[in-house]
Amino acid sequence: MGKWTPTDYNPDDFANRRHIGPSPAEMQAMLAAVGVESLDALIAQTVPAGIRQAEALDWPALSEAALLGRMREVAGRNRVMTSLIGQGYYGTVTPPAIQRNILENPAWYTAYTPYQPEIAQGRLEALLNFQTMVSDLTGLPVANASLLDEATAAAEAMAMAQRVAKSKARGFFISDGLHPQTVSVIETRAAPLGIEILRGDYDPSAVFGAIFQYPGTFGEIRDYSAEIDALHQAGAVAVMATDLLALCVLKDPGAMGADIAVGSAQRFGVPMGYGGPHAGFMACRDEMKRAMPGRIVGVSVDAKGNRAYRLSLQTREQHIRREKATSNVCTAQALLAVMASFYAVFHGPEGLRAIAQRVHLNAVTLADALRAAGAEVAPEAFFDTLTVRVGVGQAGILAAARHRGINLRKVGRDRVGIAVDETTDAGVIARVLDAFGISEPAVPARAPAIPEGLLRESDYLTHPVFHMNRAESEMMRYMRRLSDRDLALDRAMIPLGSCTMKLNAATEMMPITWPEFAALHPFAPEDQAAGYHEVFADLTGKLCAITGYDAFSLQPNSGAQGEYAGLLTIAAYHKARGEDRDICLIPVSAHGTNPASAQMAGMKVVVVKSAPNGDIDLEDFAAHAAKAGDRLAAVMITYPSTHGVFEDTIREVCDITHRHGGQVYIDGANMNALVGLVRPGEIGGDVSHLNLHKTFAIPHGGGGPGMGPIGVKAHLTPYLPADPRTGAGAVSAAPWGSASILLISWAYILMMGGAGLTQATRVAILNANYIASRLASAYPVLFMGNRGRVAHECILDMRPFAEHGVTVDDIAKRLIDNGFHAPTMSWPVAGTLMVEPTESETKAEIDRLITAFLAIRDEIAAVADGRIAPDASPLRHAPHTVEDLVAGWDRAYSREQGCFPPGAFRVDKYWPPVGRVDNAYGDRNLVCTCPPLESYAEAAE
């Protein structure tokens, strides 16, 4: 007879069976290696008792099936309408091949920022396609790899214009046609920098730059060549906020003489998502390229002279420039830029032109029908947007349209705006006309409402990549080829310190493509988004419980935006109290974006020293705080510290700051070591941003999207970012930032439950200490807490090996041969590697990384002992490609050692598509659009 043995194993326990990597038995083995009896004992040795939170996080966990059921209920509370509101957001059709093979494919969404180019050639090529697309359509020679959204791109353009303009004027002109949310973000950015915003009539000699919307927010299109010429004569810079789809048929900004063009690539196949994420873009004249914010993908060569892509001009990265930074941009919207670029490849120039013409003719059809019925329609020349003067009938027509499933835009008190998009068809047009009381069927228009002088004459998307055979089989294979060139979390661990590359669960990702979440316009009436607002309320409530803060703003759409928003909140608080405080104390160990954010918020940065053990030098800090006195605005600290330890003096730092009237900003980058154990709002923090793309499971997407909401104590709540529709004070274009990806973090928090989140933090600390313990005899561990423990990451010191000719670069590239993305390199200390395993990695994968590091240490020893010269070693030749494997072999080590080092998979080995990339060559010879095919032939010769 069989025996019934009860089991306590719960297969639906998401936290412990799906998200947290090590099993209970594996944890015991790891604890033994660390030298502690239990996880509780390790946490007691690691986290100072005086900062531990008293109450446990206590909400119950949902299973994956229960979570999806809950999500369906919430989605059902949103009402999907046909939104013809426009204002920078439009209905679009995501080709299913792109939705499934890019947006829903972990090979694309779990990748990291392409700082290691050898393992990122696929997404770098896709981003180069994006840059080429933007450059071609705007008529400007240089484009970047995307910015956060159109409004922040416009604000960045203003700051860039001030840097490059010959005029020393302090004014910046905003045209009346600019989208209101863009105006709000520009005004927010301008105020702390002392830039005067001008509207209406202006004197070109009084401004360093001006921005024009083309097409305008109410539909107007016209040639701005005369205005731009007047600006140039005054030494000022001309910026145009524009629309990529419109530029498929309209004269391009470059042809009008524009210096900078900005906008959003949202309508190239990226759903509205109630505000984001979407890829903003920027393009500029060639002579301005080194002043451009953000990332630029460029073309270089590898060690064999083969063409290779890389991030260019990295010396402009703001973490290097620190308080001299002109922008705190340190990320992009890579995944969304990739989607938009594939949309252009999928349709090609003929397809894009056809879509643009169809959109325009549908708008003309609608305008003709309205005019035929006696309506007053403006403007005369337009692309896709109309305004209709309806007088006192405005409310009735808006309500009638909503009754027919259509959202129109309320313009002033007596007009209605209508923006036609890719999804508009004859049925939509008929419903719009019916809302106006017009029953006559519309006659399809055949002639454009675009003046001949505004029709596009220049070619675009001429590169062969945009002329591929568009059979879905070929498109699918192209996407697969590019993803195969990359190393993402679906292949291997990415042990990046401070970046927290953890599991992005499939269940968390599924709802973002549901139409009930994806198809909502961010400015739709809030009663149509009741599901979203339920998510916002519950998410912010749980984030408050996790952090000890009293309120959250979900608007910042990146970590850097969160820093900026938090400092603006502090500045507004001081100003409201009538205090003139402008000094921000920042430890030398802080994130590089911290000083840049402080500078953008109008604060003066004072750097605080580190003590020898890596902690904040408390004596130096107290002296600087006292010297600042009643000018002390804030201190920015990261906790646990950027050096990967819990500092015992955190409360003292906060107390000193508060005694001098300053506010404490705690950077949330390392929140993965705090959740469930320590609440930053209870240990002295006044404001923190949270990187939801780190601690709370939003995927990094190859370098974006991210979200950086800020939590504040009650006294700062009135000064949180404003709604971009209501005036100055917004930091992003949409009221709730990139709303659609907030669903991912909410799902993660619900499935983990309070206890699961706390256990995840504990295991993240265990995994890091396991690595530190296993590697301590081979590599110096740079900083440890007072009891010899690290937090959730550890810094391995590679500097001693430099005297033997082995660089940290050699070690990072050699890890590629083992099938790993290198840890964070040379930050926060030059010549080091910062390793963060997260709680998601299994013991087997962590052991594989340890094996790789120990094998590399043996190769370093061979160099140090004189058994092999540094230039002859596998370290210097790494990474090894298939081309290396099959070519003639005359090296001082075997093919086996070079290509299949310990830790590397045999059957499933990752082969980098290029050898070591020459960064210096790429910066000397900057090419940042798709090179013509002839250049490939030249390179081969």
Side-chain angles (χ1 to χ4, degrees):
M1 290 179 63
K3 183 179 179 183
W4 178 269
T5 306
T7 177
D8 61 358
Y9 181 91
N10 178 7
D12 295 323
D13 181 351
F14 175 81
N16 295 295
R17 308 300 175 206
R18 299 285 177 258
H19 182 83
I20 295 172
S23 68
E26 289 171 338
M27 285 185 216
Q28 284 307 123
M30 296 165 78
L31 288 164
V34 171
V36 290
E37 290 184 1
S38 68
L39 200 46
D40 286 340
L42 175 62
I43 298 305
Q45 291 179 13
T46 306
V47 185
I51 63 170
R52 291 284 297 274
Q53 67 190 61
E55 305 88 21
L57 302 178
D58 61 358
W59 59 88
L62 296 181
S63 69
E64 291 177 286
L67 180 279
L68 289 174
R70 175 85 182 271
M71 280 286 189
R72 283 291 180 197
E73 290 177 13
V74 172
R77 289 192 263 282
N78 290 332
R79 185 181 174 201
V80 181
M81 305 267 277
T82 299
S83 284
L84 304 182
I85 297 168
Q87 206 170 319
Y89 299 93
Y90 305 90
T92 185
V93 177
T94 307
I98 293 175
Q99 177 172 320
R100 172 156 291 194
N101 293 291
I102 303 294
L103 180 57
E104 296 175 353
N105 184 349
W108 288 97
Y109 67 69
T110 70
Y112 183 61
T113 309
Y115 288 130
Q116 294 286 340
E118 297 84 0
I119 55 178
Q121 290 295 295
R123 79 197 91 119
L124 284 167
E125 179 169 325
L127 291 171
L128 194 74
N129 292 345
F130 175 83
Q131 291 178 179
T132 304
M133 170 189 88
V134 170
S135 176
D136 280 8
L137 288 170
T138 60
L140 291 164
V142 182
N144 67 15
S146 77
L147 289 166
L148 298 174
D149 58 26
E150 179 170 340
T152 50
E156 291 288 344
M158 174 184 68
M160 177 180 166
Q162 188 177 38
R163 295 197 296 278
V164 302
K166 294 175 183 173
S167 170
K168 299 306 174 191
R170 298 293 298 173
F172 185 72
F173 172 74
I174 294 179
S175 73
D176 290 338
L178 209 62
H179 293 316
Q181 71 272 19
T182 304
V183 174
S184 177
V185 173
I186 286 178
E187 289 180 340
T188 302
R189 181 74 177 268
L193 301 179
I195 295 171
E196 181 185 0
I197 298 298
L198 303 178
R199 309 290 295 269
D201 294 329
Y202 75 105
D203 177 357
S205 67
V207 300
F208 63 81
I211 185 168
F212 308 98
Q213 189 91 40
Y214 171 72
T217 191
F218 303 122
E220 180 189 30
I221 56 170
R222 62 188 183 87
D223 196 323
Y224 287 94
S225 299
E227 288 92 334
I228 290 171
D229 186 54
L231 287 165
H232 288 166
Q233 289 184 34
V237 172
V239 182
M240 293 188 76
T242 189
D243 180 308
L244 294 179
L245 190 64
L247 295 182
C248 294
V249 294
L250 294 182
K251 183 178 182 178
D252 58 87
M256 295 183 195
D259 302 295
I260 304 171
V262 296
S264 169
Q266 177 266 315
R267 67 193 309 179
F268 273 30
V270 182
M272 288 184 285
Y274 205 46
H278 307 131
F281 66 80
M282 178 184 283
C284 70
R285 287 163 45 196
D286 187 72
E287 59 267 33
M288 296 179 175
K289 64 192 175 193
R290 291 179 189 272
M292 182 182 278
R295 299 195 175 116
I296 300 176
V297 175
V299 183
S300 187
V301 293
D302 73 359
K304 291 188 173 59
N306 296 319
R307 190 169 302 282
Y309 306 118
R310 58 182 277 280
L311 288 182
S312 300
L313 305 176
Q314 288 193 51
T315 53
R316 292 184 302 99
E317 287 281 357
Q318 302 303 326
H319 65 262
I320 295 170
R321 299 177 70 169
R322 297 180 68 82
E323 64 271 14
K324 293 184 174 65
T326 50
S327 164
N328 69 349
V329 169
C330 66
T331 190
Q333 296 282 32
L335 182 67
L336 300 315
V338 166
M339 286 180 67
S341 77
F342 274 114
Y343 181 90
V345 171
F346 184 89
H347 286 296
E350 298 92 343
L352 294 180
R353 188 178 293 110
I355 293 167
Q357 288 182 352
R358 186 175 75 225
V359 167
H360 176 64
L361 291 177
N362 276 335
V364 177
T365 297
L366 187 56
D368 289 347
L370 287 164
R371 285 183 178 129
E376 183 184 338
V377 180
E380 288 297 320
F382 57 86
F383 170 62
D384 62 2
T385 299
L386 317 166
T387 55
V388 187
R389 191 171 298 279
V390 294
V392 295
Q394 184 192 60
I397 286 174
L398 291 172
R402 284 196 294 272
H403 181 68
R404 290 158 179 79
I406 298 211
N407 289 320
L408 303 178
R409 180 180 176 185
K410 182 179 185 290
V411 179
R413 295 181 177 180
D414 63 351
R415 290 178 294 159
V416 169
I418 310 168
V420 172
D421 60 43
E422 181 187 5
T423 67
T424 304
D425 57 18
V428 170
I429 292 172
R431 280 189 284 150
V432 172
L433 292 174
D434 193 39
F436 281 86
I438 301 169
S439 57
E440 290 292 315
V443 178
R446 300 193 180 279
I450 301 170
E452 194 169 324
L454 280 178
L455 287 169
R456 185 168 188 129
E457 295 180 359
S458 54
D459 290 333
Y460 52 89
L461 305 188
T462 58
H463 190 273
V465 74
F466 300 106
H467 295 266
M468 289 173 56
N469 184 313
R470 291 189 187 84
E472 185 169 326
S473 55
E474 188 64 23
M475 296 302 303
M476 176 178 64
R477 289 167 188 156
Y478 180 51
M479 292 183 238
R480 173 62 186 265
R481 282 200 304 275
L482 293 194
S483 66
D484 280 350
R485 296 174 193 169
D486 285 8
L487 187 71
L489 273 176
D490 65 326
R491 284 183 188 260
M493 177 184 187
I494 302 182
L496 285 154
S498 188
C499 297
T500 315
M501 300 292 292
K502 62 167 64 179
L503 171 72
N504 311 124
T507 309
E508 296 156 7
M509 299 295 295
M510 288 172 67
I512 67 169
T513 56
W514 296 351
E516 297 92 335
F517 292 121
L520 268 65
H521 193 289
F523 304 144
E526 287 192 17
D527 61 3
Q528 295 174 18
Y532 260 120
H533 288 274
E534 181 177 336
V535 173
F536 301 157
D538 195 63
L539 176 60
T540 55
K542 288 185 168 58
L543 292 178
C544 285
I546 289 166
T547 60
Y549 288 116
D550 299 306
F552 264 84
S553 168
L554 299 174
Q555 191 178 120
N557 53 5
S558 78
Q561 286 281 66
E563 289 179 17
Y564 175 54
L567 291 174
L568 288 177
T569 300
I570 289 171
Y573 166 75
H574 289 313
K575 184 177 180 181
R577 289 162 57 88
E579 297 181 352
D580 185 19
R581 294 177 176 267
D582 63 349
I583 290 177
C584 184
L585 302 184
I586 302 182
V588 68
S589 63
H591 279 97
T593 51
N594 288 177
S597 297
Q599 183 273 335
M600 283 171 54
M603 296 182 185
K604 295 178 175 61
V605 174
V606 174
V607 178
V608 178
K609 295 176 187 174
S610 282
N613 69 348
D615 291 0
I616 295 171
D617 185 323
L618 204 59
E619 189 176 326
D620 190 55
F621 180 82
H624 280 303
K627 184 178 178 182
D630 60 7
R631 288 183 59 197
L632 180 62
V635 56
M636 296 186 80
I637 51 180
T638 301
Y639 200 76
S641 79
T642 308
H643 291 144
V645 295
F646 286 92
E647 297 180 37
D648 288 329
T649 55
I650 179 66
R651 285 191 185 274
E652 201 168 345
V653 168
C654 296
D655 288 344
I656 292 169
T657 305
H658 290 145
R659 281 202 301 272
H660 290 283
Q663 297 288 286
V664 176
Y665 181 99
I666 297 181
D667 188 313
N670 292 340
M671 194 70 199
N672 213 50
L674 298 181
V675 176
L677 302 180
V678 179
R679 293 184 171 113
E682 290 181 351
I683 61 173
D686 296 295
V687 57
S688 294
H689 86 269
L690 301 180
N691 297 97
L692 298 189
H693 48 287
K694 296 182 181 182
T695 308
F696 295 96
I698 292 175
H700 280 70
M707 279 291 274
I710 56 172
V712 296
K713 299 299 279 186
H715 65 281
L716 293 178
T717 302
Y719 310 104
L720 287 170
D723 188 318
R725 297 167 293 186
T726 59
V731 296
S732 301
W736 298 279
S738 297
S740 66
I741 57 173
L742 292 171
L743 300 168
I744 300 167
S745 294
W746 191 54
Y748 167 73
I749 289 169
L750 291 182
M751 288 193 296
M752 294 294 285
L757 289 172
T758 306
Q759 180 69 351
T761 306
R762 288 151 48 92
V763 176
I765 291 170
L766 168 62
N767 285 355
N769 278 279
Y770 177 66
I771 289 174
S773 298
R774 291 283 312 276
L775 292 180
S777 61
Y779 299 92
V781 179
L782 197 54
F783 300 111
M784 287 188 157
N786 292 337
R787 298 193 187 180
R789 299 299 178 202
V790 299
H792 63 309
E793 58 196 6
C794 59
I795 298 178
L796 305 178
D797 194 355
M798 305 296 158
R799 292 174 298 180
F801 312 131
E803 64 181 271
H804 307 300
V806 176
T807 69
V808 67
D809 227 44
D810 293 332
I811 297 164
K813 303 307 180 189
R814 186 60 169 145
L815 280 166
I816 296 172
D817 289 326
N818 299 94
F820 287 106
H821 191 298
T824 302
M825 189 170 70
S826 290
W827 187 86
V829 180
T832 65
L833 293 175
M834 184 160 62
V835 184
E836 181 182 356
T838 84
E839 72 279 2
S840 296
E841 293 302 336
T842 62
K843 181 176 181 293
E845 185 72 350
I846 294 172
D847 285 340
R848 190 170 75 88
L849 178 71
I850 291 167
T851 297
F853 263 118
L854 293 175
I856 289 170
R857 185 66 185 84
D858 289 342
E859 292 177 345
I860 295 169
V863 173
D865 296 345
R867 286 175 277 148
I868 191 168
D871 288 346
S873 78
L875 293 160
R876 187 59 46 81
H877 287 283
H880 296 75
T881 65
V882 171
E883 189 178 347
D884 289 319
L885 180 68
V886 301
W889 193 270
D890 58 356
R891 299 185 181 178
Y893 53 91
S894 68
R895 293 180 202 262
E896 173 83 9
Q897 182 183 350
C899 298
F900 293 97
F905 291 122
R906 308 288 292 191
V907 175
D908 302 310
K909 178 177 166 59
Y910 170 77
W911 291 99
V914 296
R916 194 175 303 194
V917 175
D918 188 332
N919 287 329
Y921 175 94
D923 275 344
R924 287 194 309 271
N925 305 277
L926 181 62
V927 177
C928 50
T929 54
C930 297
L933 284 187
E934 309 86 73
S935 66
Y936 288 88
E938 289 165 11
E941 291 166 9

